[in-house]
Amino acid sequence: MESKARILSSITIVFAFYITLYHDTVVGARLYMIGNALALPYMIKNKCWDVVTLLIFLMIMGLPKVMGSTT
């Protein structure tokens, strides 16, 4: 199940990048957050702690945009 979520995560992150660049940054950030959250269980299970740390850091940095902040 985790590997399917990881594949879906990769697709979601690419799609989120496109949405962020060409359409809406808030929606793109939300999709990016979902993609990162989908990848976390796989990375934790496989003890990829550097990637887990990076994903958590990126999710925290994206929180203001996800909450709809315009600054």
Side-chain angles (χ1 to χ4, degrees):
M1 182 64 182
E2 286 97 7
S3 61
K4 289 181 183 180
R6 184 174 160 262
I7 293 168
L8 181 60
S9 167
S10 298
I11 293 168
T12 303
I13 290 172
V14 171
F15 185 65
F17 186 69
Y18 172 79
I19 295 296
T20 301
L21 283 178
Y22 297 109
H23 297 288
D24 187 1
T25 57
V26 174
V27 173
R30 288 178 180 162
L31 286 172
Y32 185 72
M33 189 75 66
I34 291 168
N36 283 341
L38 287 172
L40 275 176
Y42 176 84
M43 297 302 172
I44 291 170
K45 180 180 177 189
N46 289 302
K47 299 179 182 170
C48 300
W49 303 120
D50 56 333
V51 178
V52 170
T53 304
L54 179 64
L55 289 177
I56 291 172
F57 174 75
L58 292 172
M59 290 173 75
I60 291 170
M61 294 301 290
L63 276 177
K65 189 59 81 173
V66 168
M67 300 307 238
S69 173
T70 57
T71 56

